[in-house]
Amino acid sequence: MLSSDPTGSGLDGAHQVVVSGTAVCPGELVTSPSGHEAYWSMLFDRQPDNRRYVDLAARWLMDWYYLRLLITVTPTGVTTRPPLSARPPTGPSPQTRGSPCPRRHPRALHHRRPRRPGRFRSSLAHADSGPGHARGIPGGTAGDGDVVAGLASLLVHRHDDRLAGLYKAPVRGELRRSGDDGWLLVPHRVIEPSGDGGARTLRIARRATNTYLRKRNLDRPKVDWPALKALATTPATRAGKS
């Protein structure tokens, strides 16, 4: 797990933190905040727009958001890296394109030649030689020491200080050396990009949820809306504040 961007945390110039470990994920869908109240309280506090999703009018559209798979990570190591500069370096864009972006996803590789520098951040994860992560910004890449050739994925994303205005586009491909000090990501697949709250995003999310349930012959579980609503409307002591 790589925590590399302090946006929304209130911290200035925070170091990156990499947590290595083993993840366990039972197949049981969790639909209640019971036992995990601290997590949901923190989420409602840091992402205020999330509170409206538990209102009666939004529940039918947003129930997929509250069907969760609980992932527990047992850490085996924690390392830190220098803060990632918010200002992209000058010079040519990195060679991460490999091949033209598919026409149906024209925005998926905006880290390549951004119209507005700094609008997107990107995170590179590689699968060969063990999992690893490196963080980049438009116009440059950070953490090259952790990058190795092989299968890799690139996540291009953005959000504001309230964790809203989210846009993300994962790209899967093969990472290759390019020249003496560069890297070239050859895309194999651009996964369906998603944005924040639009009708298209809702359709994608509901379709993915329906497919997940159907493949496993699962009935649609009921969300514990009263418990979530109570946490969403509880005063601000919920996020560890005094």
Side-chain angles (χ1 to χ4, degrees):
M1 299 188 299
L2 172 62
S3 298
S4 57
D5 190 337
T7 300
S9 69
L11 301 175
D12 185 18
H15 279 65
Q16 302 179 68
V17 179
V18 184
V19 180
S20 303
T22 302
V24 177
C25 181
E28 178 185 1
L29 284 172
V30 179
T31 61
S32 171
S34 178
H36 309 285
E37 290 87 353
Y39 165 79
W40 285 105
S41 294
M42 178 183 65
L43 186 62
F44 286 127
D45 185 67
R46 295 182 179 180
Q47 190 177 24
D49 286 352
N50 193 23
R51 299 174 192 168
R52 58 191 174 97
Y53 299 155
V54 300
D55 291 339
L56 187 62
R59 292 179 182 179
W60 182 85
L61 287 174
M62 296 301 301
D63 67 333
W64 56 269
Y65 185 77
Y66 300 98
L67 307 183
R68 298 295 181 105
L69 293 171
L70 182 63
I71 302 173
T72 302
V73 178
T74 302
T76 57
V78 179
T79 59
T80 60
R81 298 173 183 167
L84 186 68
S85 173
R87 178 175 298 178
T90 58
S93 299
Q95 292 184 332
T96 52
R97 55 187 184 276
S99 60
C101 180
R103 291 183 180 179
R104 62 190 294 255
H105 300 310
R107 301 174 63 192
L109 296 181
H110 268 194
H111 69 287
R112 182 181 68 195
R113 291 175 183 169
R115 294 180 182 177
R116 292 169 53 191
R119 183 181 181 188
F120 289 94
R121 294 292 182 99
S122 58
S123 177
L124 179 69
H126 52 79
D128 289 0
S129 303
H133 292 83
R135 185 61 184 270
I137 57 177
T141 302
D144 280 348
D146 296 320
V147 177
V148 298
L151 296 178
S153 63
L154 180 72
L155 175 63
V156 185
H157 75 287
R158 69 165 185 254
H159 61 75
D160 61 21
D161 287 343
R162 295 163 61 92
L163 302 184
L166 175 66
Y167 178 86
K168 60 185 178 68
V171 182
R172 293 179 182 175
E174 180 182 356
L175 195 64
R176 303 174 182 173
R177 273 289 186 183
S178 176
D180 295 332
D181 57 357
W183 291 97
L184 178 71
L185 179 65
V186 180
H188 296 167
R189 179 187 176 194
V190 179
I191 302 173
E192 190 78 34
S194 62
D196 184 33
R200 180 170 173 270
T201 299
L202 293 177
R203 287 196 301 270
I204 292 171
R206 291 192 63 83
R207 183 173 67 234
T209 302
N210 293 339
T211 300
Y212 181 92
L213 296 173
R214 184 176 64 254
K215 286 183 175 180
R216 291 160 180 79
N217 295 317
L218 298 175
D219 295 329
R220 199 176 197 90
K222 294 183 179 180
V223 176
D224 191 350
W225 295 113
L228 288 166
K229 181 69 174 180
L231 290 173
T233 55
T234 301
T237 53
R238 54 181 174 258
K241 299 178 181 178
S242 57

